[in-house]
Amino acid sequence: MGEPATGTEFTLDTAAELAQVEHGAIQGRSPWYLAWRRLRRNYIAFAFLGLFVVIVLACALAPAYASHVAHTGPNANHVLDTITVHGKQVPVVSPGGLINGKLVPSLPIGPQWFNAGGRYLLGADANGRDVAVRLLYGGRNSLVIGIGSALICIVVAVLLSLIAGYFGGWIDFVITRFYDLFYAFPVILLGIALGSALAINGFHHFGITIESGSIWIPTLVISYVLIAYVGRPIRGQILSLREKEFVEAAIAQGARPWRIMVSDLLPNLASSVLVFFTLIIANNIVVEAALSFLGAGVQPPTASWGTLIADGQTLIVTRPWLSLAPGIAIVLTVLSLNVFGDGLRDALDPRAKVRIEH
Amino acid sequence: MEKAWHGLVGDSNPDNKLLSYTTQQDVVQQIKQGIPATFSLTIGASVIWLFFGILVGVIAAVTAGRLSDRAITILALVGISMPVFWLGIVTRYFLAEKNTWFPDGEYVGLTANPVQWAYHLILPWTVLAVLYIGFYGRVLRNNILDTINEDFVRTARAKGLSRREVLTKHVLRNSLIPVVTLFGLDFAGVLGGGAILTEKVFDLHGVGWYAADALDKFDLPPIMGVTLYGAGFIVLLSVLVDLFYAYLDPRIRPT
């Protein structure tokens, strides 16, 4: 027999002992811990978060892939080059002709998978550029624009809504009318109008200069267009929080408005802002792809998933992978964010009504 | 208003018309020409998405937690996550170009040939509707599940109504109210040129296609014109939705 197990020893201080037992049984748990425990059980959400991380890592490693596997850059043309496939020399872009009754100006090489030593894994486009390399570089741009515009959009919308919801009165009136103004325009059309106008000359006002080919333009356009869609529901939440007792108590204590906004209202918004952020990234990636597809987003030769689909559209009959691959990348990325965002919402607040609706 | 229009049109234009930079055509006239195709696309697609959205939402809510609900939830998410133009390109490639089961794009007037009109529009209708079916299905499912726990539903069951009657007359009627708002705004958005991607992909010469075509040449006046046209539709439909809302929900009628 070893030593008796600790905790079974008899002491005279019963009250302290009971308190100890009770302390073990009832533990104060923060809402964030409870949410994390709910989220942890949602394996599907985690699997899709993993998928998103894999996509982000793959796109982040684009330069390594380009220099060590594909041996080319994202914008390098290889129209007149040849590559070795199974020991034979094959031109990257062959002259076109009538294919399936359609006149094709030139025919780039199709997907080589691993036959060409990692070169032209998904084939080449009409300019002889490696599509796999462009897919990864394009993914970098699409993700940077999606995440960047979501960040800007959320920060501005939360700031505006905090000011509107807290102060009320004419400030609220002005900001709400500003939101209404955005609601009156179809998102894509407003994005196109702004994106195309800025794509011609760039932005040169208020001492800020953005060149016309910069990916800052689609980032800012998308965040600007969607501010109202995030701001309105958040303002609604602030209006109801504003009436709660703890805000009244803070005012009674003499806290300044700024302090109440940051330390009383903002923590209560954190969970819905987090959910919004995830879903808005997904949404913005789709909007970016749509704008770039139409020519009002990322400008050539810079790659993005939207421009890649547009580039591939002319060759869809002979080389369908040019358009299929970037589309699949978008679907997987957006789906993973949507599923994870859903799981996050269920975990943080099972009764929440936070939804992106437009 | 007059002054704003004049500022948009510019001084060099004696007729006070908004002209395209490249073709010198009257933008308002061109938008009017695109309206039949856009309206055909929008109305057909909205019938499909409303019908299937409600069907999918009700099935998912009634079988909540079971396999069919899970399958619908996942499919709805996939539908929402797909860019509409990519889905259009892919369906056009597989169903109209690789296998020629459907006509390859273009719009045929309803008055010219009703059968060809519908045949040419089946693919664009379906592609445009997929996103909204997933979206409406999800919204409706959550609304029904929220409503089903309300007191008046329990009362309705207690007074002896069958499950089916409670679902159609009490639950669905209340759950559909938010869907009506969504539908009004989405319908206005698509009608106002929001179907630009679908029209571009399927070569339907509607209002959205006109804007997309102008965008290829960076021709700004048509884009501005179509954007304002779209805004007009959204404002108009928002007013109609608010009025219809009051009809549906007596609680918000002005007293």
Side-chain angles (χ1 to χ4, degrees), chain B residues 163-215:
Chain B
R163 269 193 62 140
R164 194 192 183 84
E165 273 176 311
V166 173
L167 188 69
T168 51
K169 285 187 186 155
H170 294 262
V171 177
L172 201 55
R173 202 189 145 107
N174 275 284
S175 313
L176 277 177
I177 292 172
V179 175
V180 169
T181 324
L182 275 181
F183 180 73
L185 293 178
D186 286 338
F187 186 72
V190 177
L191 211 54
I196 176 168
L197 293 160
T198 317
E199 288 179 10
K200 162 103 173 155
V201 166
F202 284 101
D203 273 334
L204 292 169
H205 289 206
V207 181
W209 182 88
Y210 179 52
D213 190 46
L215 188 56

Side-chain angles (χ1 to χ4, degrees), chain A residues 44 102 183-190 192-193 195-197 199-200 286 289-291 293-296 299 305-306 309-310 313 316-318 320 323-328 330-331 334-336 338-339 342 345 351 353 355-358, chain B residues 73-74 77-78 80-86 89-90 92-94 97 104 132 135 138-139 142-143 146 182 185-186 188-189 192-194 196-197 200-201 208 211-212 215-216 218-220 223-224 226-232 234-235:
Chain A
I44 296 176
K102 281 207 170 187
Y183 260 83
F185 290 100
V187 172
I188 297 279
L189 280 182
L190 188 58
I192 285 168
S196 57
I200 297 173
V286 175
L291 291 185
F293 172 73
L294 289 168
Q299 297 300 320
W305 286 335
I309 295 177
Q313 205 192 352
I316 183 94
V317 180
T318 44
S323 285
L324 285 179
I328 292 169
I330 296 176
V331 174
V334 174
L335 184 67
S336 65
N338 276 336
V339 173
D342 256 27
R345 179 180 57 220
R351 296 178 52 79
K353 289 259 169 79
R355 272 172 206 117
I356 301 168
E357 291 171 358
H358 74 80
Chain B
T73 309
I74 290 171
L77 267 176
V78 173
I80 291 170
S81 305
M82 248 188 290
V84 62
F85 58 95
W86 182 71
I89 291 174
V90 170
R92 191 174 163 180
Y93 167 62
F94 281 112
E97 281 164 355
D104 193 13
Y132 295 105
F135 188 54
R138 268 160 59 86
V139 170
N142 294 334
N143 282 338
D146 284 348
L182 275 181
L185 293 178
D186 286 338
I196 176 168
L197 293 160
K200 162 103 173 155
V201 166
L215 188 56
D216 285 341
F218 280 123
D219 189 357
L220 289 181
I223 300 172
M224 288 194 290
V226 173
T227 308
L228 286 178
Y229 155 89
I234 292 189
V235 172

Side-chain angles (χ1 to χ4, degrees), chain A residues 31 74 78 96 98 129 147 197 212-213 234 245 253-254 279 328 330 354:
Chain A
H78 297 282
L98 267 183
R129 295 176 292 198
I147 295 171
S212 58
I234 290 180
E245 288 81 357
Q253 281 177 345
L279 299 179
I328 292 169
I330 296 176
V354 185

Side-chain angles (χ1 to χ4, degrees), chain A residues 160-246:
Chain A
L160 282 179
S161 304
L162 270 177
I163 293 169
Y166 182 81
F167 289 109
W170 66 269
I171 298 179
D172 184 36
F173 181 82
V174 171
I175 292 176
T176 335
R177 288 298 86 76
F178 173 71
Y179 286 167
D180 286 348
L181 199 67
F182 283 93
Y183 260 83
F185 290 100
V187 172
I188 297 279
L189 280 182
L190 188 58
I192 285 168
L194 288 171
S196 57
L198 290 174
I200 297 173
N201 287 325
F203 185 84
H204 309 276
H205 297 287
F206 316 119
I208 302 166
T209 301
I210 304 172
E211 291 309 320
S212 58
S214 164
I215 62 167
W216 273 102
I217 289 177
T219 310
L220 291 174
V221 165
I222 294 167
S223 52
Y224 184 69
V225 164
L226 288 167
I227 284 174
Y229 292 90
V230 183
R232 241 197 205 179
I234 290 180
R235 175 184 161 269
Q237 271 196 326
I238 292 169
L239 282 186
S240 72
L241 284 174
R242 176 81 175 76
E243 304 301 317
K244 290 275 161 66
E245 288 81 357
F246 60 83

Side-chain angles (χ1 to χ4, degrees), chain A residues 34 36-44 46:
Chain A
L34 290 175
W36 163 244
R37 232 175 36 170
R38 278 194 291 267
L39 185 63
R40 216 169 39 186
R41 283 194 223 109
N42 194 342
Y43 298 116
I44 296 176
F46 264 97

Side-chain angles (χ1 to χ4, degrees), chain A residues 45 47-59 135-136 138-144 146-147 278-286 288-289 305 325-341, chain B residues 77-78 80-83 86:
Chain A
F48 277 94
L49 178 66
L51 176 64
F52 180 67
V53 171
V54 168
I55 293 170
V56 171
L57 283 180
C59 292
L135 185 71
L136 292 180
R140 261 155 74 107
N141 287 334
S142 288
L143 287 169
V144 165
I147 295 171
T278 322
L279 299 179
I280 279 279
I281 296 175
N283 186 64
N284 287 6
I285 289 174
V286 175
E288 182 277 323
W305 286 335
I328 292 169
I330 296 176
V331 174
L332 288 180
T333 313
V334 174
L335 184 67
S336 65
L337 283 169
N338 276 336
V339 173
F340 180 70
Chain B
L77 267 176
V78 173
I80 291 170
S81 305
M82 248 188 290
W86 182 71

